[in-house]
Amino acid sequence: MEFGLTEEHQQIRDEVRRFAENEIVPNAEEYDTSETFPHDIVDEAAEMGLVGASIPIDYGGAGYSTLESVIIAEELFSHDPGIALSIMACSFGTEAIREFGTEDQKERFLEPVAAGEKISGAAISEPDTGSDVSSVSTRAEKDGDEWVINGTKMWITNGSVGDFFVVLCETDPDAEGRYNGFSQLVVEADRDGFSADKITGKMGIRASDTAELVLDDVRVPEANLIGTRDAAFMQQMYFFDETRTGVAAQGLGIAKGALEAALEYAQEREQFGKSISEFQAIQHKLADMATKTEAARNLTYKAAWNVDQSNDITKLASMAKEYASRVAVDVADEAVQIHGGAGYVNDFPVERFYRDSKITQIYEGTTEIQKNIIARELLD
């Protein structure tokens, strides 16, 4: 097994780092405070091929592997999670089109996302539906050659800035089996009956747009049905290894950024006539933070490599997501502690890392869900 990055991987990391340092860091506090979507930075990221990074080259994307996408996410999130998520999430939902969509759908929806001309989203969660995806109540009924959709989606990334969404709907309420009778439909935001209400006051990732979507007799053509009708639940499960590994990369990036900020501050801050990095208590904190971050990196990279090899890694992906998100919270917490009072205000980035870290333990399957999955796989 190779533990080192290739020269190409290192070049990707270096380019992303330069972009983040020049474009993201100077603007991070502004977008976090105002809770606004960073359209200008996203446009620049699209020019670099960072938007829709995993979209195939044939449809205008960079065609990056899961491991390469993880490297990009780690670097972006180590500079600012809110703007990083805004960039990485521009292609949410396109994985379903990439894998199950028709050629027409790929041309209509993948190409403009890769070009930075449109923003996509995935609409799964509902006000009463979080971890239990099978309890989705948004209904889509066939009327001639159209689908008529009614329902409400909640906590939708890109909800008020997205151009189209891949919406999980119930299409056969009489289907036998808890996981049958669901379909995925592409819904364009400019269709009659579609509305979005931006959610503000989030604890973290404030630059990333989140909204509640309401679909009131929204009509979409049969051509917007993705893959096989009534088989969407299994289609969704197909991507969880990839997407949960992606969230692990987010947690890893937050831990990396918090560690680097704490290390720099500890060497600059003086107390009792010397830098606080000379105190054993601080040294032990930094040592623990670095060790946890490196362990999270190895687990996340291993999961990503296995996704690229098409291995069955449900357990490993959940381990990576659960552990890296926990490390993100722990390392960010210690980074604030090392900064002391200075870490409690937004003069330093650790305050933002601390707030941003928590979401990695919630979305794409909570910590508790990941532990259930790991235990289930262990017990066969």
Side-chain angles (χ1 to χ4, degrees):
M1 178 180 290
E2 294 288 341
F3 283 94
L5 296 179
T6 66
E7 183 177 348
E8 182 179 357
H9 290 155
Q10 192 59 55
Q11 288 175 347
I12 292 172
R13 165 163 285 166
D14 291 344
E15 287 188 22
V16 175
R17 179 180 295 129
R18 283 193 292 271
F19 171 78
E21 290 174 347
N22 293 330
E23 307 299 335
I24 294 178
V25 172
N27 301 295
E29 182 183 337
E30 174 190 346
Y31 283 106
D32 177 76
T33 302
S34 64
E35 299 188 50
T36 53
F37 187 83
H39 285 283
D40 53 345
I41 299 177
V42 169
D43 289 342
E44 293 173 9
E47 293 181 6
M48 288 187 60
L50 300 181
V51 170
S54 62
I55 292 176
I57 294 174
D58 290 345
Y59 302 102
Y64 284 134
S65 66
T66 304
L67 178 57
E68 289 166 337
S69 295
V70 159
I71 292 169
I72 292 170
E74 177 189 358
E75 199 60 45
L76 289 176
F77 274 77
S78 72
H79 289 84
D80 180 68
I83 295 178
L85 182 60
S86 298
I87 294 170
M88 301 296 291
C90 279
S91 59
F92 272 12
T94 60
E95 63 277 353
I97 300 171
R98 183 189 72 206
E99 190 65 30
F100 301 109
T102 64
E103 188 64 27
D104 171 68
Q105 289 171 344
K106 292 175 183 178
E107 292 176 358
R108 282 197 292 145
F109 300 117
L110 297 187
E111 292 182 3
V113 169
E117 298 169 356
K118 290 188 177 181
I119 295 172
S120 62
I124 301 174
S125 298
E126 299 181 357
D128 297 320
T129 304
S131 298
D132 183 10
V133 177
S134 65
S135 64
V136 162
S137 60
T138 294
R139 291 282 303 277
E141 298 179 342
K142 198 71 181 296
D143 183 19
D145 60 354
E146 293 183 317
W147 290 95
V148 182
I149 308 171
N150 285 280
T152 301
K153 295 294 183 178
M154 193 68 174
W155 312 117
I156 306 306
T157 301
N158 298 333
S160 71
V161 299
D163 295 288
F164 67 88
F165 300 86
V166 174
V167 182
L168 182 64
C169 308
E170 184 181 46
T171 47
D172 185 1
D174 299 321
E176 294 184 3
R178 185 174 185 180
Y179 305 112
N180 297 322
F182 299 97
S183 300
Q184 295 183 97
L185 292 160
V186 177
V187 177
E188 296 90 341
D190 59 358
R191 294 212 174 252
D192 291 341
F194 178 95
S195 62
D197 185 17
K198 179 179 173 66
I199 296 171
T200 59
K202 294 183 298 185
M203 181 169 74
I205 56 167
R206 291 176 176 171
S208 174
D209 182 82
T210 309
E212 178 183 28
L213 307 183
V214 176
L215 300 101
D216 184 11
D217 284 338
V218 176
R219 288 179 172 269
V220 299
E222 173 68 20
N224 282 21
L225 174 68
I226 300 175
T228 304
R229 175 177 174 173
D230 299 333
F233 190 88
M234 296 311 298
Q235 292 172 4
Q236 287 285 337
M237 296 303 106
Y238 184 88
F239 299 106
F240 275 151
D241 288 350
E242 178 182 343
T243 56
R244 285 172 176 163
T245 300
V247 177
Q250 296 178 18
L252 168 60
I254 292 172
K256 175 179 180 287
L259 169 62
E260 290 175 347
L263 185 61
E264 180 181 356
Y265 184 83
Q267 295 175 88
E268 294 177 351
R269 173 67 167 168
E270 291 190 357
Q271 288 288 278
F272 305 102
K274 56 184 178 181
S275 73
I276 63 172
S277 65
E278 296 183 46
F279 293 102
Q280 189 180 64
I282 300 298
Q283 292 175 355
H284 283 187
K285 287 183 182 296
L286 293 170
D288 287 342
M289 293 159 70
T291 301
K292 289 178 179 178
T293 301
E294 189 60 32
R297 178 174 293 111
N298 278 286
L299 187 54
T300 301
Y301 281 22
K302 182 179 180 181
W305 184 85
N306 276 276
V307 169
D308 288 332
Q309 304 308 308
S310 299
N311 294 333
D312 183 7
I313 62 153
T314 296
K315 177 178 67 176
L316 186 59
S318 286
M319 285 179 170
K321 199 273 187 186
E322 190 283 324
Y323 183 72
S325 62
R326 175 155 44 100
V327 168
V329 173
D330 290 347
V331 172
D333 180 40
E334 287 287 45
V336 171
Q337 192 70 20
I338 288 173
H339 279 69
Y344 202 68
V345 293
N346 62 2
D347 292 342
F348 292 90
V350 292
E351 181 266 348
R352 195 166 59 251
F353 284 128
Y354 183 75
R355 289 188 287 104
D356 291 343
S357 65
K358 187 60 185 176
I359 192 61
T360 62
Q361 291 188 309
I362 298 173
Y363 58 20
E364 208 62 32
T366 63
T367 293
E368 293 74 18
I369 291 295
Q370 303 314 311
K371 290 183 177 180
N372 286 348
I373 293 170
I374 296 166
R376 182 192 68 202
E377 295 293 312
L378 288 171
L379 297 169
D380 200 23

